[in-house]
Amino acid sequence: MPVRIVSLAAHSGAGKTTLSEALLLRSGAISRAGRVEDGTAHSDHTDIEKAHGFSVMTGVLRLTHCGTDITLLDTPGYADFVREIRGGIRAADTAVIVVSAVSGVEVGTERVWATADRFGMPRLIAVNQMDRERADYHAVLADLRASLSGPVAPAFLPLGEGADFRGVIDVLTGEVSPPQDLPPSDRAALAGAQAALTDAIVETDDDLMNRFLDGSPISTDELHAAFTRAVHAGTLYPVIPVSAHSGVGVDALLDLMVTGLRSARERGPVSGVDGQTRDPTPDAPFSARVWRVSLDPFVGKQAFIRVWSGTLRPGDTIRNTTQGGDLRAAHLYLPNGRDLTEVGELPAGSIGVLTKLPDLHAGDTLADPADPILYDPLWLPEPAHTVAIHPVSRQDEDRLGPALTRLTDEDPTLHYARDPQTGEGLLSGMGDLHLGIATERLAALGVNVTATTPRVPYRETIHAPAQAQGKHKKQSGGHGQYGDCHLRIEPGDGFSFRSAVVGGAIPGKYLPGIEKGVQDAMQRGPLAGYPLQDLHVTVLDGSYHDVDSSDLAFRAAGALALRGALEHARPGLLEPTRHLKVRAPARFTGDLLVDLQTRRARVQGIDTTGTVTTITALVPQAELHDYSAALRSLTGDRAAFSVTAGPYQPIPDHLTRKIIDARQEELTQA
């Protein structure tokens, strides 16, 4: 039976999961469609998804239509769950991008489109929610052409819009589904769409293009064949209007998925990182990628794999070429919603599940030990949002480490680290929604934590050169302690230490002790007790004692000299910044810039492509702690952002006093 593995991807709110229910229902896979609002959707079957009413994980759904086995990978719509979105796209051969007929192209649409572009994935576009008020198919088409790369062409037109949406018109044949008469008012629009689609098709085929330019006739069958080749190759992206709620257009979409989307075998050879290839056939050497990992409270660890080549059978030895080492899968399963069905083999083109193999991780390559291959890892972004987590009880503290290991193993976009300056445990993810779900999942693992805004790791520096002497002299019977040095400190990038001592005033063996003393004193600055950075230290002179001098004495002298010099070096506070990139519909640009201004941001660039604007800015870390939630509120969840580490920069004078006072209170309480 032919196989299609299709990723369903969309911006949140486009009705993607509702569409997957409609596809299951129309194909006969289910007798009654579930509802996201009721928690009955077959894709959103976990407790967390039911509680929140949206997809958190990629649902694997199976159906059969026209003798073709179709596996749908229903990815989450929220960009916070990018690990699931990209994993689902990487595991598929083709994609259906779902766009709202009301909202049009949104940032989530742009992001999944760019991911599909990155991996050369053929796709078609389903314009959903055509039965809603203010649905506008032609406006969405214009939006698609302006915002997304590649040739987008309507393969179907709507018969009516909004409450009057009652059918779809096949542009090439003029047939209406469900069957009904085509009103005369739609015939002119159909003729124009046929001419535009014909132009788009012949541009993908040199032979047809030459015949078209010569005025030679081209049959509908030839256009259909060229259309299919172009969609398979990803050189033409057809658009179809549908309503998942009413079911109008869903049958035509199923037909288009069967005839228009390529099969797993038609994908062609798959390449490893070293240039090796594998044919996507059952008799080739076995290879697969782990595209997601989940933790089931009853089954344990589940590794979802896409079999790229060969056939895997229970008990076969397979090699993890990413991590190293061989393993055996005693049982093989086919997933479908919440269910796992044990099978006797997983051939090329399968989405399968391996259980009870703790050493498998998302992105790992599995291969035949006799013919190993390594595929590229999953491409995942860095975290954009961070919270400090605090165990509620001592018992929670004891359990936190193992629970976090399980959580970050399942979701590589979650990072946990302890801040060396503040001592806080920091959990980082893609947004506040992502981290909120993560803390709920910790609770499900028996670990209760509270999440707070992380303390900002401020630093101190100097703005003027200064000199001072540090003398450590102590006599308490027996050998005494004596160290004496004169230091000059200057502002600079980073830290440097050098000696300008002449005439042996300080033996060279004591210079490392002075440097250690300086570094000791740098851990607590003179203004608020934050670590010092960006200063150059020069040892100018000093003296020593043949008996009483030691490394320890000069270490103390170095610390004293630095503290003395800091009093005259105009110390100041520094704060960490972040490079921020925001993508949002262009209509929100003004609101976003006003918001960034309140956050003391320095806007570095504004770029508008189609209907989407990208803003880049340098923003103080202290001003971004609530940005994920604020951005969602400001744009109605139509924006996305990313952050990377930026430099430390001086803090404005009007904020310095407040930070110093807060720090002194903190130190007093400690």
Side-chain angles (χ1 to χ4, degrees):
M1 180 182 292
V3 174
R4 305 283 187 274
I5 300 180
V6 183
S7 174
L8 284 178
H11 187 88
S12 60
K16 171 184 48 59
T17 297
T18 303
L19 181 59
S20 72
E21 293 291 315
L23 292 168
L24 291 173
L25 180 65
R26 290 287 177 162
S27 68
I30 58 175
S31 58
R32 182 178 179 181
R35 284 169 46 88
V36 174
E37 299 84 354
D38 300 336
T40 56
H42 292 74
S43 173
D44 297 348
H45 57 80
T46 66
D47 291 341
I48 286 179
E49 289 172 318
K50 290 178 180 180
H52 288 276
F54 55 75
S55 301
V56 172
M57 301 178 182
T58 297
V60 182
L61 307 170
R62 300 186 65 212
L63 59 90
T64 301
H65 183 69
C66 294
T68 300
D69 184 357
I70 301 175
T71 299
L72 299 177
L73 304 181
D74 181 14
T75 64
Y78 284 105
D80 280 23
F81 307 108
V82 63
R83 179 262 312 190
E84 293 284 342
I85 298 170
R86 292 189 179 174
I89 290 177
R90 295 300 304 277
D93 297 302
T94 54
V96 173
I97 309 298
V98 185
V99 180
S100 169
V102 178
S103 303
V105 174
E106 302 182 86
V107 170
T109 317
E110 183 213 20
R111 292 182 70 159
V112 295
W113 192 270
T115 301
D117 265 347
R118 182 183 178 96
F119 300 110
M121 178 167 289
R123 71 214 79 148
L124 60 86
I125 303 166
V127 179
N128 191 24
Q129 302 172 339
M130 283 296 303
D131 57 333
R132 291 197 175 179
E133 185 180 355
R134 294 185 296 108
D136 191 332
Y137 184 67
H138 295 284
V140 172
L141 282 175
D143 205 0
L144 292 167
R145 290 174 174 135
S147 303
L148 305 179
S149 61
V152 172
F156 291 80
L157 295 177
L159 189 58
E161 290 182 333
D164 190 41
F165 180 56
R166 60 192 185 279
V168 296
I169 309 165
D170 187 319
V171 171
L172 281 180
T173 66
E175 296 176 354
V176 183
S177 175
Q180 55 194 289
D181 292 333
L182 180 64
S185 58
D186 288 298
R187 290 173 186 169
L190 174 60
Q194 285 175 331
L197 182 57
T198 299
D199 288 346
I201 293 172
V202 299
E203 286 179 1
T204 67
D205 188 296
D206 291 341
D207 179 58
L208 289 184
M209 174 62 79
N210 291 330
R211 290 171 56 191
F212 181 77
L213 294 175
D214 290 341
S216 302
I218 301 173
S219 70
T220 300
D221 288 343
E222 289 178 305
L223 286 174
H224 262 298
F227 171 82
T228 300
R229 290 193 299 270
V231 177
H232 282 198
T235 56
L236 185 66
Y237 306 122
V239 186
I240 178 172
V242 298
S243 167
H245 182 260
S246 69
V248 175
V250 174
D251 289 332
L253 175 59
L254 280 168
D255 292 341
L256 185 58
M257 289 168 65
V258 170
T259 60
L261 296 181
R262 70 183 180 187
S263 68
R265 186 168 295 192
E266 290 167 338
R267 180 184 182 120
V270 186
S271 299
V273 296
D274 62 354
Q276 288 190 70
T277 60
R278 292 288 183 272
D279 291 326
T281 57
D283 54 352
F286 168 76
S287 67
R289 176 191 278 118
V290 180
W291 59 274
R292 75 176 292 252
V293 169
S294 70
L295 300 175
D296 185 273
F298 303 105
V299 180
K301 190 172 187 177
Q302 300 176 330
F304 288 72
I305 66 170
R306 163 65 197 265
V307 182
W308 293 116
S309 64
T311 301
L312 179 63
R313 297 178 177 86
D316 284 354
T317 298
I318 51 180
R319 178 160 298 165
N320 186 334
T321 57
T322 303
Q323 307 290 338
D326 293 345
L327 51 93
R328 289 187 180 183
H331 303 278
L332 310 177
Y333 300 92
L334 283 179
N336 188 13
R338 66 165 64 247
D339 301 322
L340 294 178
T341 302
E342 189 165 3
V343 294
E345 64 178 23
L346 292 174
S350 298
I351 295 292
V353 173
L354 310 181
T355 60
K356 300 178 181 178
L357 295 173
D359 294 330
L360 291 184
H361 307 278
D364 285 355
T365 298
L366 306 178
D368 184 341
D371 204 346
I373 190 172
L374 177 65
Y375 295 124
D376 60 312
L378 296 178
W379 172 54
L380 297 172
E382 290 300 310
H385 187 65
T386 300
V387 295
I389 57 173
H390 311 276
V392 173
S393 67
R394 180 61 181 271
Q395 189 177 42
D396 293 318
E397 186 175 358
D398 294 339
R399 295 175 177 174
L400 181 60
L404 283 170
T405 299
R406 293 181 63 183
L407 210 59
T408 54
D409 180 30
E410 181 181 9
D411 186 350
T413 57
L414 285 173
H415 294 185
Y416 177 79
R418 190 164 294 278
D419 189 301
Q421 181 174 325
T422 66
E424 290 183 311
L426 303 179
L427 184 63
S428 301
M430 304 315 302
D432 64 321
L433 186 61
H434 186 206
L435 295 181
I437 295 294
T439 56
E440 289 182 32
R441 300 190 64 203
L442 283 175
L445 293 172
V447 181
N448 295 304
V449 299
T450 58
T452 62
T453 301
R455 294 201 296 269
V456 179
Y458 294 108
R459 301 281 177 86
E460 299 185 25
T461 191
I462 61 172
H463 298 296
Q467 297 183 25
Q469 177 186 14
K471 178 180 286 189
H472 177 71
K473 183 176 182 181
K474 188 174 182 181
Q475 194 73 37
S476 57
H479 286 308
Q481 298 180 35
Y482 184 87
D484 174 29
C485 65
H486 295 255
L487 301 182
R488 181 176 67 240
I489 60 175
E490 301 167 284
D493 292 330
F495 170 77
S496 69
F497 179 89
R498 72 183 189 92
S499 172
V501 176
V502 296
I506 302 176
K509 64 180 180 179
Y510 294 133
L511 292 174
I514 297 174
E515 183 175 4
K516 288 179 181 178
V518 167
Q519 292 178 337
D520 290 343
M522 287 177 62
Q523 299 309 305
R524 190 178 175 91
L527 292 178
Y530 291 113
L532 281 154
Q533 69 174 41
D534 296 337
L535 70 159
H536 296 174
V537 180
T538 304
V539 185
L540 301 174
D541 199 1
S543 60
Y544 72 101
H545 190 278
D546 288 333
V547 177
D548 294 342
S549 288
S550 64
D551 282 338
L552 189 61
F554 273 99
R555 183 170 182 171
L560 289 171
L562 180 66
R563 294 191 189 106
L566 288 172
E567 295 179 6
H568 310 286
R570 287 176 45 213
L573 286 182
L574 299 174
E575 62 181 344
T577 63
R578 295 290 182 264
H579 294 290
L580 173 71
K581 178 183 288 187
V582 187
R583 287 194 295 250
R587 64 183 182 275
F588 294 111
T589 302
D591 293 335
L592 292 172
L593 292 175
V594 170
D595 178 71
L596 288 173
Q597 187 176 22
T598 66
R599 298 175 187 274
R600 300 189 285 123
R602 296 210 310 265
V603 175
Q604 298 174 320
I606 302 173
D607 178 52
T608 300
T609 303
T611 61
V612 176
T613 292
T614 300
I615 301 173
T616 55
L618 189 67
V619 192
Q621 178 184 321
E623 303 291 348
L624 288 176
H625 67 274
D626 65 341
Y627 194 68
S628 180
L631 187 64
R632 183 179 297 113
S633 175
L634 193 65
T635 64
D637 194 40
R638 290 181 172 85
F641 76 103
S642 63
V643 296
T644 55
Y648 273 80
Q649 65 181 15
I651 298 175
D653 292 340
H654 71 279
L655 295 177
T656 298
R657 188 69 259 167
K658 293 171 62 176
I659 295 171
I660 292 174
D661 290 344
R663 175 64 167 171
Q664 289 175 344
E665 182 179 352
E666 176 187 324
L667 293 174
T668 300
Q669 292 176 350

